[in-house]
Amino acid sequence: MTLSALTDVESAYAVQRIGVRTRLTAGARIVGRKIGLTSPAVQRQLGVNQPDFGVLFDDMDVTETPAAYRPPLLQPKIEAELAFVLAADLDVEQLDAISVRGAVDYAVAALEIVDSRIAGWDISFADTVADNASSGWFVLGAERLSLDEFEPREIVMNMAIDGEIVSTGTGSACLGDPLNALAWLARTARDFGAALRAGEIVLSGALGPMAPLRPGARVRSELFSGTQTLGSVDFTLEEQ
């Protein structure tokens, strides 16, 4: 199925909400949101020019999930991100990079395994919105980072698969600052009637190009600030 003819963004998000309600009715639990298409490199890869957002469900967090219990994937790709965990609701009128900063409890290095129901990733913007922003799984690093310790826009990322660097990027590649991405999401989610809440995880968007993910691949991403390693995250896609 393709939704390439669907160009109305509000309609695409309406389709997404139907999918979210279906998952909730089946017993899934929302644990956060994801921002997609924030990096110019990823926008070029997919031929789009604006960000979108989707919902994170509890079974998408495979940080500690044994391979046999992970949801199925169709055509996965992987990208490295900075994730925020919120300490406060973001439902006020003034939502910008400064105001949302105070709502962040901590940040962690993250990997997002994106996926698509559209064959060959031949997608329009409406396709990815309706497909819950091409969400699949996500993995969170262990090191919790206070925003007093670093500036998100200044971080540098590298991601390796089987020891070979396949993606590099910076915080400034994410809408100029991952906090700008968080502010965009907070405003957009509020305006759609589903404001961000304390305790939610927010994947703030890719810091560099995504890469194909094959069975057996060992992935490691590291975040740096100058010469200091801020955090890392590892993931292996086990053979099925």
Side-chain angles (χ1 to χ4, degrees):
M1 180 182 72
T2 179
L3 295 172
S4 297
L6 182 60
T7 58
D8 183 344
V9 173
E10 289 190 2
S11 296
Y13 277 113
V15 173
Q16 182 188 118
R17 288 193 293 273
I18 292 171
V20 169
R21 286 197 298 271
T22 300
R23 290 291 326 268
L24 293 175
T25 299
R29 179 172 56 89
I30 294 174
V31 296
R33 321 293 171 85
K34 63 152 288 184
I35 312 167
L37 309 175
T38 56
S39 164
V42 174
Q43 289 182 357
R44 287 191 296 270
Q45 283 180 304
L46 295 180
V48 299
N49 60 4
Q50 59 183 307
D52 69 348
F53 76 92
V55 172
L56 300 177
F57 296 103
D58 52 341
D59 63 350
M60 292 180 180
D61 183 355
V62 298
T63 306
E64 299 180 353
T65 305
Y69 296 96
R70 295 170 180 168
L73 295 172
L74 298 172
Q75 43 185 349
K77 300 177 184 287
I78 193 163
E79 55 192 29
E81 309 192 8
L82 182 69
F84 298 113
V85 177
L86 301 179
D89 295 348
L90 286 172
D91 56 1
V92 298
E93 182 175 351
Q94 182 66 26
L95 291 170
D96 55 24
I98 296 174
S99 60
V100 301
R101 185 186 191 103
V104 173
D105 188 7
Y106 60 90
V108 295
L111 292 167
E112 184 183 4
I113 296 88
V114 292
D115 202 5
S116 180
R117 295 177 180 86
I118 310 301
W121 281 87
D122 184 19
I123 60 176
S124 68
F125 181 75
D127 289 326
T128 188
V129 169
D131 194 17
N132 195 26
S134 301
S135 297
W137 304 343
F138 66 93
V139 183
L140 302 179
E143 298 96 338
R144 296 186 176 188
L145 308 169
S146 165
L147 295 190
D148 294 332
E149 301 176 73
F150 76 107
E151 284 296 332
R153 68 178 179 275
E154 296 175 358
I155 60 175
V156 175
M157 173 277 297
N158 65 46
M159 181 175 72
I161 295 181
D162 295 332
E164 178 184 353
I165 299 293
V166 296
S167 180
T168 61
T170 64
S172 62
C174 183
L175 294 186
D177 186 335
L179 289 172
N180 290 339
L182 176 58
W184 174 86
L185 174 63
R187 292 190 300 269
T188 305
R190 178 201 61 196
D191 293 347
F192 272 95
L196 300 178
R197 298 300 179 188
E200 287 194 332
I201 301 160
V202 176
L203 300 181
S204 63
L207 300 173
M210 59 185 177
L213 186 62
R214 60 185 180 278
R218 296 174 292 106
V219 186
R220 179 176 178 82
S221 175
E222 296 178 302
L223 299 180
F224 302 91
S225 178
T227 59
Q228 177 188 5
T229 301
L230 291 174
S232 61
V233 56
D234 296 274
F235 172 71
T236 299
L237 183 63
E238 285 85 354
E239 299 274 1
Q240 297 296 315

